[in-house]
Structures are given as C-alpha cells and as structure tokens.
Amino acid sequence: MADTAVPDKDNWLGDIILRVKDPIGYEVNKATAAEIATNAQVQQAAHGPGIYLDRDHAEQMVKQAGEILAALENDQSLTQSLERMQSAAQDPVSVGFTKAATWNGGQPGAFAYGAGHVRLEILYLGELTRRLEKALGRTSENDHESGKGLGGIAQEGDY
C-alpha cells in the first residue's frame, strides 16, 4: 500500500495522517492476515501516528463532512447576525444583555462564542475534507500538478 498522506506540521491537524487502503477482493488465510497485521504495525511505526481507512469508509466520510459543512455554512449567516446584534433599547438591562451575548470590551459573549464555534467547525471540516480527498488521491493540487506535467498543452477551462 502506498502512503499517500504527508504530515503537515504547520497545520493544526498536522499530526493526523489519513491513509486509505483499497479493498482486497479475495479471502486471505490466517498466516497472511497475521503478516498483514504485522506489516501494518511496522508501517505505522515507520510513518508515525495516523488513521487507516478503507476506501468506502473514506468516501462516506467525505460525503457526510460535505453535508455537515453545507449545513454549517447556512447556519453561519444566522450566527454572525446574532454575534453582531444591536441592543433593542438603550436601557441598562437591554444594553447589559447585548454586551453579555455579543462582545463586551473585546471579550466574546454567548452568541459570539457560538459564532466562533461555527467558524471553527467550518475550518475543521474543510481541512478534514481536504485531507481525506488528498488521501483518496483526488485533489485540485493533484490536478494542478498534472496540468503542469502536460507542459501547458491544455489551458485551464480548455476542454
């Protein structure tokens, strides 16, 4: 199995490596299974910590992450509106509530924390999706590098 994932130490998910194994289409005996398990342990020791997924599971994770990401992006406009809301009135109770819910002197309130959490979840799922797609061998980086390899034969958008 080729190791298609490279750790990215500059990223907050830099220590997580995702590897995708293609399914084996035949039954293996106990000796071969033991050899495969031992080889996986050796490979993991050589390459460091990571997560091994079969291709179907990785494909399913990409699909689910994309669906959740789309829902979070829809929710983001609502959370940003709550984060930036203005006080309904200028009385002390309304102003106090607005400060506690949004921003108070640079400190986030409940709605601001919620909006920040949604932003972080979007970043996390986006990075997870990019890493899964890279492990599956289908990224725009690969497409871009392949295009360079063609020596400019096909320009972007020319089909």
Side-chain angles (χ1 to χ4, degrees):
M1 169 181 52
D3 190 4
T4 59
V6 178
D8 182 4
K9 296 297 181 188
D10 295 331
N11 193 295
W12 55 280
L13 281 176
D15 293 335
I16 302 292
I17 300 170
L18 301 173
R19 296 181 183 95
V20 176
K21 299 186 297 185
D22 287 321
I24 299 173
Y26 54 90
E27 294 292 319
V28 294
N29 61 29
K30 286 185 180 183
T32 305
E35 183 180 330
I36 290 170
T38 302
N39 186 41
Q41 289 174 345
V42 169
Q43 291 296 322
Q44 185 171 1
H47 296 293
I51 299 169
Y52 288 90
L53 302 167
D54 62 31
R55 182 163 293 280
D56 290 339
H57 193 174
E59 295 279 358
Q60 192 174 32
M61 286 179 66
V62 168
K63 182 181 178 207
Q64 288 176 343
E67 291 169 357
I68 295 168
L69 190 56
L72 282 172
E73 287 170 346
N74 285 336
D75 293 344
Q76 188 176 24
S77 63
L78 176 62
T79 61
Q80 286 177 341
S81 296
L82 290 171
E83 177 184 29
R84 296 180 182 131
M85 76 174 188
Q86 300 295 315
S87 185
Q90 293 306 311
D91 63 275
V93 173
S94 296
V95 171
F97 171 77
T98 302
K99 283 184 179 181
T102 58
W103 290 89
N104 185 9
Q107 295 297 315
F111 293 162
Y113 270 116
H117 180 76
V118 169
R119 283 190 291 272
L120 288 175
E121 287 292 323
I122 288 171
L123 290 172
Y124 172 80
L125 285 169
E127 181 65 22
L128 177 63
T129 301
R130 279 188 291 282
R131 285 177 176 252
L132 283 167
E133 287 180 342
K134 185 174 183 179
L136 287 165
R138 57 170 201 235
T139 65
S140 58
E141 274 180 38
N142 289 346
D143 295 343
H144 184 66
E145 291 301 317
S146 297
K148 281 185 188 177
L150 291 175
I153 294 172
Q155 296 295 322
E156 203 171 303
D158 293 343
Y159 298 94

